[in-house]
Amino acid sequence: VPVDAATATGNAAVKGARALADRTIGGSMVAKSAAEKRAASMAKLGRKLAEDAAPGARVTAETAGGGVTGAVEDTIRGAAREQADAYGRVAAKGDPGVNIAAKKAALKPALDRLAKKKELTGQLMGDEGRAAVALDTLVHGPDVAPLSVVDAALGDIKSLARGAAMPELRTSGQGVAALAVREIEDAVQTTAKAAGVWDDLRAGRDATIQKWSAADTLKMLKDEPVGTFRALTQNGDAAVEKLRDVKKIAPGELPRVGRAYLEGLIDTATNEGGFGHEAKLWADWQRMGDETKRVLYPDPALRESLDKFFLIGKKMAENPNPSGSGYIAALSAQG
């Protein structure tokens, strides 16, 4: 990008001289040609930096947001298949029975708490509802239940026990559920290892965790692609946790989100012809949080190039307006 002397030096006198020279008959023709070259070079470089973020075909906010949602949904479907395959292998090996007769007394307090809450509120939602069904299945079911049934119920009870951000923040109901989990987990592991299906069971559990983790991430995204894109590129670092969650599941989609963001800025600069709105581009880039930039643009050299690109655009667009007849006369001679 051709940089004029005023921008390169940052000197106030040179800036004033440039402003005055640009307004003379001969200087205006030079200024017009320089401005056109600068605009074309900035647009070309901006597109190149955007492509450096994610090589390939151009990416829009809609395609980037849709790609993230689609990748998360694919992860959910893939994990569900792995889950079904793993538990299918457990069933094919006989699905051994787990003796939970001695465990029912430890499970009943958690069931009673949930039943009382349902009586008072009229319903149980989410993890509490699933845990209540699971506990009822175990407490009122046979003393020896199939391993797959017990493990599935255990997963729902674990969801309730994990409901707090920290163990210290658990409600009394969650604490009771956590105790119930410890009671059943021991019986499940003992049975699975004795039957030689522990590896299959663990694979099923891992797939289940992956599925529900991806489902939680999907809940944080918006229903339509552009909304998802905007949710992931909020000002500051407001969306950095969402980005990190997406990175765990669909890391390949984040560079496309980063590219779409840059393409949008360059579109703003070029949609009136030439290259403009440089101050806005710099401000928008500055508003993006540092952690968000590190996730979307992991290459530090690219981040540095983008910083310089938006800054030089802002500086070249600055238009000094010198005043005072003596000052103008002196600068005119210099110009």
Side-chain angles (χ1 to χ4, degrees), residues 254-265:
L254 291 186
R256 290 165 51 80
V257 173
R259 177 170 180 177
Y261 180 81
L262 296 176
E263 294 280 10
L265 294 183

Side-chain angles (χ1 to χ4, degrees), residues 77-329:
R77 285 189 284 266
R81 288 192 296 270
E82 292 177 13
Q83 177 190 27
D85 290 344
Y87 285 123
R89 293 194 297 271
V90 173
K93 294 176 181 178
D95 201 1
V98 182
N99 191 334
I100 58 172
K103 309 295 183 181
K104 290 186 176 183
L107 302 179
K108 197 170 185 308
L111 178 60
D112 290 343
R113 283 180 182 274
L114 292 173
K116 184 65 175 178
K117 183 172 183 178
K118 183 177 181 180
E119 180 183 337
L120 293 174
T121 62
Q123 61 180 344
L124 295 174
M125 302 294 290
D127 291 339
E128 289 185 329
R130 291 193 296 272
V133 172
L135 286 164
D136 185 73
T137 298
L138 296 177
V139 171
H140 297 116
D143 289 345
V144 179
L147 176 63
S148 59
V149 173
V150 177
D151 193 63
L154 179 60
D156 289 332
I157 301 170
K158 284 180 178 178
S159 296
L160 175 60
R162 287 194 300 263
M166 297 171 57
E168 292 80 6
L169 298 179
R170 283 176 177 159
T171 65
S172 57
Q174 289 169 335
V176 172
L179 292 174
V181 166
R182 287 199 290 270
E183 290 287 334
I184 307 174
E185 179 66 30
D186 179 62
V188 166
Q189 287 198 27
T190 300
T191 301
K193 290 175 182 177
V197 296
W198 172 239
D199 289 342
D200 294 320
L201 185 67
R202 189 163 51 185
R205 287 181 168 188
D206 290 344
T208 302
I209 292 170
Q210 184 183 26
K211 181 181 75 173
W212 288 111
S213 176
D216 289 340
T217 299
L218 187 63
K219 288 179 184 178
M220 295 190 300
L221 304 177
K222 302 298 182 181
D223 292 334
E224 48 88 25
V226 175
T228 292
F229 170 79
R230 289 173 178 165
L232 295 174
T233 55
Q234 297 177 57
N235 289 339
D237 285 320
V240 70
E241 290 303 322
K242 293 179 183 177
L243 286 168
R244 287 169 178 160
D245 287 339
V246 171
K247 184 177 180 180
K248 294 175 185 175
I249 299 168
E253 296 300 319
L254 291 186
R256 290 165 51 80
V257 173
R259 177 170 180 177
Y261 180 81
L262 296 176
E263 294 280 10
L265 294 183
I266 305 305
D267 285 345
T268 298
T270 59
N271 60 14
E272 294 176 1
F275 195 90
H277 305 288
E278 292 94 334
K280 180 182 184 307
L281 266 60
W282 168 251
D284 288 347
W285 176 247
Q286 288 297 99
R287 278 193 288 268
M288 177 177 277
D290 289 340
E291 291 303 315
T292 299
K293 289 176 183 175
R294 289 189 183 97
V295 176
L296 292 178
Y297 312 104
D299 181 0
L302 176 59
R303 292 198 304 271
E304 182 181 4
S305 293
L306 289 167
D307 284 337
K308 291 178 178 179
F309 172 77
F310 290 116
L311 178 59
I312 198 66
K314 171 180 173 292
K315 287 187 173 295
M316 285 195 295
E318 291 172 352
N319 185 19
N321 185 21
S323 61
S325 58
Y327 184 52
I328 289 176

